[in-house]
Amino acid sequence: PDDRLHIGGLVSPTSPGEYSNIRVYTRAVPEDEVMIIYSSEDPTCGMTDDVCPTPWSYKSYVARVDNPLDLRYSLFPRRPAAEVFFKCDPGYSSFDGDDHIICTSEGTWLKYGTQILAT
């Protein structure tokens, strides 16, 4: 930029939001150096993507994954608050099971809007 300042960070459509800390560098910083600095800062804890087991389906597919509580994880179907939408394969119609399920922080799938385990 014109003022010779560069913002070190990773631009990603999966990490929108507001940030409380911005680190300003006086030079261009390579991505691997930014990651070293980022990973050494506290806190360094986080969640894995494997909170819920892979949802089971038969003759159907995942039509959409959403996470309205945290848009950064809208495509991570196994995190808490992730919502998964199923559709039947062409030529099949739904007669059993749930077409909209949500992952809980306890690692279980529930029928959306209820406390009933997904089937």
PDB file of all heavy atoms in Angstrom, residues 81-109:
ATOM      1  N   ALA A  81     -23.691 -27.118  16.304  1.00  0.00           N
ATOM      2  CA  ALA A  81     -24.640 -26.183  15.683  1.00  0.00           C
ATOM      3  C   ALA A  81     -24.687 -26.314  14.168  1.00  0.00           C
ATOM      4  O   ALA A  81     -25.423 -25.582  13.518  1.00  0.00           O
ATOM      5  CB  ALA A  81     -24.355 -24.740  16.075  1.00  0.00           C
ATOM      6  N   ALA A  82     -23.944 -27.243  13.590  1.00  0.00           N
ATOM      7  CA  ALA A  82     -24.019 -27.456  12.145  1.00  0.00           C
ATOM      8  C   ALA A  82     -25.359 -28.092  11.798  1.00  0.00           C
ATOM      9  O   ALA A  82     -25.807 -29.023  12.463  1.00  0.00           O
ATOM     10  CB  ALA A  82     -22.879 -28.334  11.668  1.00  0.00           C
ATOM     11  N   GLU A  83     -25.969 -27.574  10.766  1.00  0.00           N
ATOM     12  CA  GLU A  83     -27.229 -28.116  10.285  1.00  0.00           C
ATOM     13  C   GLU A  83     -26.982 -28.782   8.943  1.00  0.00           C
ATOM     14  O   GLU A  83     -26.340 -28.217   8.070  1.00  0.00           O
ATOM     15  CB  GLU A  83     -28.264 -27.006  10.123  1.00  0.00           C
ATOM     16  CG  GLU A  83     -28.610 -26.319  11.421  1.00  0.00           C
ATOM     17  CD  GLU A  83     -29.597 -25.192  11.238  1.00  0.00           C
ATOM     18  OE1 GLU A  83     -30.339 -25.206  10.229  1.00  0.00           O
ATOM     19  OE2 GLU A  83     -29.623 -24.299  12.096  1.00  0.00           O
ATOM     20  N   VAL A  84     -27.481 -29.999   8.791  1.00  0.00           N
ATOM     21  CA  VAL A  84     -27.309 -30.757   7.556  1.00  0.00           C
ATOM     22  C   VAL A  84     -28.689 -31.019   6.958  1.00  0.00           C
ATOM     23  O   VAL A  84     -29.613 -31.444   7.653  1.00  0.00           O
ATOM     24  CB  VAL A  84     -26.562 -32.084   7.818  1.00  0.00           C
ATOM     25  CG1 VAL A  84     -26.455 -32.903   6.548  1.00  0.00           C
ATOM     26  CG2 VAL A  84     -25.177 -31.809   8.398  1.00  0.00           C
ATOM     27  N   PHE A  85     -28.798 -30.747   5.669  1.00  0.00           N
ATOM     28  CA  PHE A  85     -30.049 -30.946   4.936  1.00  0.00           C
ATOM     29  C   PHE A  85     -29.838 -32.063   3.917  1.00  0.00           C
ATOM     30  O   PHE A  85     -28.887 -32.009   3.131  1.00  0.00           O
ATOM     31  CB  PHE A  85     -30.460 -29.668   4.195  1.00  0.00           C
ATOM     32  CG  PHE A  85     -30.711 -28.503   5.107  1.00  0.00           C
ATOM     33  CD1 PHE A  85     -29.669 -27.737   5.589  1.00  0.00           C
ATOM     34  CD2 PHE A  85     -32.005 -28.178   5.472  1.00  0.00           C
ATOM     35  CE1 PHE A  85     -29.897 -26.653   6.423  1.00  0.00           C
ATOM     36  CE2 PHE A  85     -32.249 -27.095   6.297  1.00  0.00           C
ATOM     37  CZ  PHE A  85     -31.194 -26.337   6.783  1.00  0.00           C
ATOM     38  N   PHE A  86     -30.716 -33.065   3.939  1.00  0.00           N
ATOM     39  CA  PHE A  86     -30.629 -34.191   3.018  1.00  0.00           C
ATOM     40  C   PHE A  86     -31.706 -34.091   1.946  1.00  0.00           C
ATOM     41  O   PHE A  86     -32.790 -33.565   2.189  1.00  0.00           O
ATOM     42  CB  PHE A  86     -30.820 -35.522   3.753  1.00  0.00           C
ATOM     43  CG  PHE A  86     -29.697 -35.872   4.677  1.00  0.00           C
ATOM     44  CD1 PHE A  86     -29.788 -35.617   6.030  1.00  0.00           C
ATOM     45  CD2 PHE A  86     -28.551 -36.463   4.193  1.00  0.00           C
ATOM     46  CE1 PHE A  86     -28.760 -35.944   6.891  1.00  0.00           C
ATOM     47  CE2 PHE A  86     -27.514 -36.793   5.043  1.00  0.00           C
ATOM     48  CZ  PHE A  86     -27.619 -36.531   6.395  1.00  0.00           C
ATOM     49  N   LYS A  87     -31.416 -34.645   0.775  1.00  0.00           N
ATOM     50  CA  LYS A  87     -32.393 -34.798  -0.302  1.00  0.00           C
ATOM     51  C   LYS A  87     -32.279 -36.224  -0.804  1.00  0.00           C
ATOM     52  O   LYS A  87     -31.208 -36.825  -0.774  1.00  0.00           O
ATOM     53  CB  LYS A  87     -32.108 -33.828  -1.442  1.00  0.00           C
ATOM     54  CG  LYS A  87     -32.346 -32.390  -1.052  1.00  0.00           C
ATOM     55  CD  LYS A  87     -33.125 -31.705  -2.112  1.00  0.00           C
ATOM     56  CE  LYS A  87     -33.368 -30.289  -1.640  1.00  0.00           C
ATOM     57  NZ  LYS A  87     -34.472 -29.699  -2.214  1.00  0.00           N
ATOM     58  N   CYS A  88     -33.373 -36.742  -1.300  1.00  0.00           N
ATOM     59  CA  CYS A  88     -33.377 -38.096  -1.856  1.00  0.00           C
ATOM     60  C   CYS A  88     -32.679 -38.116  -3.207  1.00  0.00           C
ATOM     61  O   CYS A  88     -32.742 -37.143  -3.972  1.00  0.00           O
ATOM     62  CB  CYS A  88     -34.812 -38.600  -2.023  1.00  0.00           C
ATOM     63  SG  CYS A  88     -35.656 -38.879  -0.469  1.00  0.00           S
ATOM     64  N   ASP A  89     -32.022 -39.234  -3.488  1.00  0.00           N
ATOM     65  CA  ASP A  89     -31.436 -39.424  -4.811  1.00  0.00           C
ATOM     66  C   ASP A  89     -32.553 -39.386  -5.853  1.00  0.00           C
ATOM     67  O   ASP A  89     -33.707 -39.724  -5.543  1.00  0.00           O
ATOM     68  CB  ASP A  89     -30.713 -40.776  -4.885  1.00  0.00           C
ATOM     69  CG  ASP A  89     -29.427 -40.798  -4.080  1.00  0.00           C
ATOM     70  OD1 ASP A  89     -28.900 -39.708  -3.749  1.00  0.00           O
ATOM     71  OD2 ASP A  89     -28.938 -41.907  -3.783  1.00  0.00           O
ATOM     72  N   PRO A  90     -32.234 -39.003  -7.084  1.00  0.00           N
ATOM     73  CA  PRO A  90     -33.256 -38.995  -8.144  1.00  0.00           C
ATOM     74  C   PRO A  90     -33.919 -40.369  -8.264  1.00  0.00           C
ATOM     75  O   PRO A  90     -33.255 -41.403  -8.222  1.00  0.00           O
ATOM     76  CB  PRO A  90     -32.453 -38.656  -9.399  1.00  0.00           C
ATOM     77  CG  PRO A  90     -31.268 -37.904  -8.890  1.00  0.00           C
ATOM     78  CD  PRO A  90     -30.939 -38.529  -7.562  1.00  0.00           C
ATOM     79  N   GLY A  91     -35.229 -40.347  -8.374  1.00  0.00           N
ATOM     80  CA  GLY A  91     -35.988 -41.585  -8.503  1.00  0.00           C
ATOM     81  C   GLY A  91     -36.445 -42.170  -7.183  1.00  0.00           C
ATOM     82  O   GLY A  91     -37.159 -43.170  -7.162  1.00  0.00           O
ATOM     83  N   TYR A  92     -36.059 -41.575  -6.062  1.00  0.00           N
ATOM     84  CA  TYR A  92     -36.449 -42.058  -4.741  1.00  0.00           C
ATOM     85  C   TYR A  92     -37.255 -40.987  -4.025  1.00  0.00           C
ATOM     86  O   TYR A  92     -37.078 -39.794  -4.264  1.00  0.00           O
ATOM     87  CB  TYR A  92     -35.225 -42.425  -3.894  1.00  0.00           C
ATOM     88  CG  TYR A  92     -34.478 -43.628  -4.420  1.00  0.00           C
ATOM     89  CD1 TYR A  92     -33.499 -43.481  -5.392  1.00  0.00           C
ATOM     90  CD2 TYR A  92     -34.777 -44.901  -3.964  1.00  0.00           C
ATOM     91  CE1 TYR A  92     -32.826 -44.582  -5.894  1.00  0.00           C
ATOM     92  CE2 TYR A  92     -34.112 -46.007  -4.453  1.00  0.00           C
ATOM     93  CZ  TYR A  92     -33.135 -45.844  -5.421  1.00  0.00           C
ATOM     94  OH  TYR A  92     -32.485 -46.930  -5.914  1.00  0.00           O
ATOM     95  N   SER A  93     -38.131 -41.417  -3.122  1.00  0.00           N
ATOM     96  CA  SER A  93     -38.896 -40.460  -2.323  1.00  0.00           C
ATOM     97  C   SER A  93     -38.692 -40.781  -0.849  1.00  0.00           C
ATOM     98  O   SER A  93     -38.422 -41.921  -0.474  1.00  0.00           O
ATOM     99  CB  SER A  93     -40.377 -40.508  -2.688  1.00  0.00           C
ATOM    100  OG  SER A  93     -40.886 -41.798  -2.455  1.00  0.00           O
ATOM    101  N   SER A  94     -38.841 -39.769  -0.028  1.00  0.00           N
ATOM    102  CA  SER A  94     -38.611 -39.914   1.413  1.00  0.00           C
ATOM    103  C   SER A  94     -39.784 -40.630   2.073  1.00  0.00           C
ATOM    104  O   SER A  94     -40.944 -40.279   1.845  1.00  0.00           O
ATOM    105  CB  SER A  94     -38.428 -38.533   2.030  1.00  0.00           C
ATOM    106  OG  SER A  94     -38.253 -38.641   3.418  1.00  0.00           O
ATOM    107  N   PHE A  95     -39.492 -41.639   2.874  1.00  0.00           N
ATOM    108  CA  PHE A  95     -40.546 -42.307   3.623  1.00  0.00           C
ATOM    109  C   PHE A  95     -40.137 -42.540   5.070  1.00  0.00           C
ATOM    110  O   PHE A  95     -40.950 -42.938   5.893  1.00  0.00           O
ATOM    111  CB  PHE A  95     -40.954 -43.635   2.966  1.00  0.00           C
ATOM    112  CG  PHE A  95     -39.873 -44.675   2.982  1.00  0.00           C
ATOM    113  CD1 PHE A  95     -39.779 -45.575   4.027  1.00  0.00           C
ATOM    114  CD2 PHE A  95     -38.961 -44.751   1.950  1.00  0.00           C
ATOM    115  CE1 PHE A  95     -38.780 -46.534   4.045  1.00  0.00           C
ATOM    116  CE2 PHE A  95     -37.961 -45.706   1.965  1.00  0.00           C
ATOM    117  CZ  PHE A  95     -37.865 -46.598   3.012  1.00  0.00           C
ATOM    118  N   ASP A  96     -38.870 -42.271   5.407  1.00  0.00           N
ATOM    119  CA  ASP A  96     -38.409 -42.489   6.774  1.00  0.00           C
ATOM    120  C   ASP A  96     -37.181 -41.614   7.004  1.00  0.00           C
ATOM    121  O   ASP A  96     -36.495 -41.214   6.065  1.00  0.00           O
ATOM    122  CB  ASP A  96     -38.060 -43.966   6.978  1.00  0.00           C
ATOM    123  CG  ASP A  96     -37.851 -44.307   8.447  1.00  0.00           C
ATOM    124  OD1 ASP A  96     -38.272 -43.515   9.302  1.00  0.00           O
ATOM    125  OD2 ASP A  96     -37.260 -45.357   8.730  1.00  0.00           O
ATOM    126  N   GLY A  97     -36.889 -41.336   8.245  1.00  0.00           N
ATOM    127  CA  GLY A  97     -35.699 -40.565   8.564  1.00  0.00           C
ATOM    128  C   GLY A  97     -35.951 -39.065   8.569  1.00  0.00           C
ATOM    129  O   GLY A  97     -37.069 -38.603   8.351  1.00  0.00           O
ATOM    130  N   ASP A  98     -34.896 -38.316   8.825  1.00  0.00           N
ATOM    131  CA  ASP A  98     -34.995 -36.867   8.968  1.00  0.00           C
ATOM    132  C   ASP A  98     -34.243 -36.178   7.840  1.00  0.00           C
ATOM    133  O   ASP A  98     -33.135 -36.577   7.497  1.00  0.00           O
ATOM    134  CB  ASP A  98     -34.414 -36.435  10.314  1.00  0.00           C
ATOM    135  CG  ASP A  98     -35.088 -37.133  11.478  1.00  0.00           C
ATOM    136  OD1 ASP A  98     -36.326 -37.154  11.498  1.00  0.00           O
ATOM    137  OD2 ASP A  98     -34.373 -37.666  12.345  1.00  0.00           O
ATOM    138  N   ASP A  99     -34.847 -35.142   7.289  1.00  0.00           N
ATOM    139  CA  ASP A  99     -34.181 -34.431   6.200  1.00  0.00           C
ATOM    140  C   ASP A  99     -33.429 -33.190   6.664  1.00  0.00           C
ATOM    141  O   ASP A  99     -32.726 -32.559   5.890  1.00  0.00           O
ATOM    142  CB  ASP A  99     -35.180 -34.058   5.106  1.00  0.00           C
ATOM    143  CG  ASP A  99     -36.293 -33.150   5.601  1.00  0.00           C
ATOM    144  OD1 ASP A  99     -36.388 -32.935   6.823  1.00  0.00           O
ATOM    145  OD2 ASP A  99     -37.064 -32.665   4.763  1.00  0.00           O
ATOM    146  N   HIS A 100     -33.558 -32.840   7.963  1.00  0.00           N
ATOM    147  CA  HIS A 100     -32.883 -31.669   8.513  1.00  0.00           C
ATOM    148  C   HIS A 100     -32.435 -32.035   9.929  1.00  0.00           C
ATOM    149  O   HIS A 100     -33.261 -32.239  10.813  1.00  0.00           O
ATOM    150  CB  HIS A 100     -33.849 -30.486   8.526  1.00  0.00           C
ATOM    151  CG  HIS A 100     -33.256 -29.196   8.967  1.00  0.00           C
ATOM    152  ND1 HIS A 100     -33.990 -28.047   9.039  1.00  0.00           N
ATOM    153  CD2 HIS A 100     -31.998 -28.850   9.355  1.00  0.00           C
ATOM    154  CE1 HIS A 100     -33.227 -27.051   9.450  1.00  0.00           C
ATOM    155  NE2 HIS A 100     -32.017 -27.528   9.648  1.00  0.00           N
ATOM    156  N   ILE A 101     -31.110 -32.137  10.135  1.00  0.00           N
ATOM    157  CA  ILE A 101     -30.576 -32.529  11.439  1.00  0.00           C
ATOM    158  C   ILE A 101     -29.552 -31.501  11.898  1.00  0.00           C
ATOM    159  O   ILE A 101     -29.023 -30.732  11.104  1.00  0.00           O
ATOM    160  CB  ILE A 101     -29.962 -33.946  11.406  1.00  0.00           C
ATOM    161  CG1 ILE A 101     -28.809 -34.024  10.404  1.00  0.00           C
ATOM    162  CG2 ILE A 101     -31.033 -34.999  11.108  1.00  0.00           C
ATOM    163  CD1 ILE A 101     -28.090 -35.376  10.395  1.00  0.00           C
ATOM    164  N   ILE A 102     -29.287 -31.511  13.211  1.00  0.00           N
ATOM    165  CA  ILE A 102     -28.334 -30.562  13.785  1.00  0.00           C
ATOM    166  C   ILE A 102     -27.378 -31.297  14.722  1.00  0.00           C
ATOM    167  O   ILE A 102     -27.782 -32.210  15.447  1.00  0.00           O
ATOM    168  CB  ILE A 102     -29.076 -29.416  14.518  1.00  0.00           C
ATOM    169  CG1 ILE A 102     -28.100 -28.355  14.985  1.00  0.00           C
ATOM    170  CG2 ILE A 102     -29.924 -29.940  15.652  1.00  0.00           C
ATOM    171  CD1 ILE A 102     -28.761 -27.056  15.419  1.00  0.00           C
ATOM    172  N   CYS A 103     -26.098 -30.912  14.671  1.00  0.00           N
ATOM    173  CA  CYS A 103     -25.059 -31.516  15.520  1.00  0.00           C
ATOM    174  C   CYS A 103     -25.023 -30.787  16.859  1.00  0.00           C
ATOM    175  O   CYS A 103     -25.002 -29.557  16.906  1.00  0.00           O
ATOM    176  CB  CYS A 103     -23.702 -31.391  14.815  1.00  0.00           C
ATOM    177  SG  CYS A 103     -22.296 -31.976  15.774  1.00  0.00           S
ATOM    178  N   THR A 104     -24.999 -31.532  17.960  1.00  0.00           N
ATOM    179  CA  THR A 104     -24.935 -30.932  19.290  1.00  0.00           C
ATOM    180  C   THR A 104     -23.497 -30.950  19.804  1.00  0.00           C
ATOM    181  O   THR A 104     -22.652 -31.688  19.296  1.00  0.00           O
ATOM    182  CB  THR A 104     -25.817 -31.695  20.294  1.00  0.00           C
ATOM    183  OG1 THR A 104     -25.236 -32.994  20.510  1.00  0.00           O
ATOM    184  CG2 THR A 104     -27.239 -31.834  19.796  1.00  0.00           C
ATOM    185  N   SER A 105     -23.234 -30.161  20.826  1.00  0.00           N
ATOM    186  CA  SER A 105     -21.884 -30.135  21.406  1.00  0.00           C
ATOM    187  C   SER A 105     -21.560 -31.434  22.132  1.00  0.00           C
ATOM    188  O   SER A 105     -20.403 -31.707  22.437  1.00  0.00           O
ATOM    189  CB  SER A 105     -21.732 -28.947  22.350  1.00  0.00           C
ATOM    190  OG  SER A 105     -22.711 -29.000  23.361  1.00  0.00           O
ATOM    191  N   GLU A 106     -22.577 -32.261  22.397  1.00  0.00           N
ATOM    192  CA  GLU A 106     -22.347 -33.572  23.018  1.00  0.00           C
ATOM    193  C   GLU A 106     -21.973 -34.628  21.995  1.00  0.00           C
ATOM    194  O   GLU A 106     -21.694 -35.763  22.337  1.00  0.00           O
ATOM    195  CB  GLU A 106     -23.596 -34.024  23.790  1.00  0.00           C
ATOM    196  CG  GLU A 106     -23.880 -33.225  25.042  1.00  0.00           C
ATOM    197  CD  GLU A 106     -24.599 -31.914  24.731  1.00  0.00           C
ATOM    198  OE1 GLU A 106     -25.317 -31.837  23.708  1.00  0.00           O
ATOM    199  OE2 GLU A 106     -24.428 -30.966  25.506  1.00  0.00           O
ATOM    200  N   GLY A 107     -22.002 -34.268  20.715  1.00  0.00           N
ATOM    201  CA  GLY A 107     -21.611 -35.205  19.672  1.00  0.00           C
ATOM    202  C   GLY A 107     -22.736 -36.077  19.157  1.00  0.00           C
ATOM    203  O   GLY A 107     -22.498 -37.174  18.663  1.00  0.00           O
ATOM    204  N   THR A 108     -23.973 -35.622  19.289  1.00  0.00           N
ATOM    205  CA  THR A 108     -25.110 -36.381  18.785  1.00  0.00           C
ATOM    206  C   THR A 108     -25.863 -35.561  17.745  1.00  0.00           C
ATOM    207  O   THR A 108     -25.822 -34.331  17.749  1.00  0.00           O
ATOM    208  CB  THR A 108     -26.091 -36.753  19.923  1.00  0.00           C
ATOM    209  OG1 THR A 108     -26.526 -35.554  20.568  1.00  0.00           O
ATOM    210  CG2 THR A 108     -25.437 -37.668  20.930  1.00  0.00           C
ATOM    211  N   TRP A 109     -26.545 -36.263  16.867  1.00  0.00           N
ATOM    212  CA  TRP A 109     -27.397 -35.622  15.866  1.00  0.00           C
ATOM    213  C   TRP A 109     -28.821 -35.615  16.371  1.00  0.00           C
ATOM    214  O   TRP A 109     -29.334 -36.625  16.825  1.00  0.00           O
ATOM    215  CB  TRP A 109     -27.336 -36.382  14.543  1.00  0.00           C
ATOM    216  CG  TRP A 109     -26.026 -36.249  13.843  1.00  0.00           C
ATOM    217  CD1 TRP A 109     -25.040 -37.184  13.783  1.00  0.00           C
ATOM    218  CD2 TRP A 109     -25.570 -35.125  13.090  1.00  0.00           C
ATOM    219  NE1 TRP A 109     -23.989 -36.707  13.040  1.00  0.00           N
ATOM    220  CE2 TRP A 109     -24.287 -35.438  12.598  1.00  0.00           C
ATOM    221  CE3 TRP A 109     -26.117 -33.873  12.792  1.00  0.00           C
ATOM    222  CZ2 TRP A 109     -23.550 -34.559  11.825  1.00  0.00           C
ATOM    223  CZ3 TRP A 109     -25.371 -32.990  12.016  1.00  0.00           C
ATOM    224  CH2 TRP A 109     -24.108 -33.346  11.548  1.00  0.00           C
TER     225      TRP A 109
END
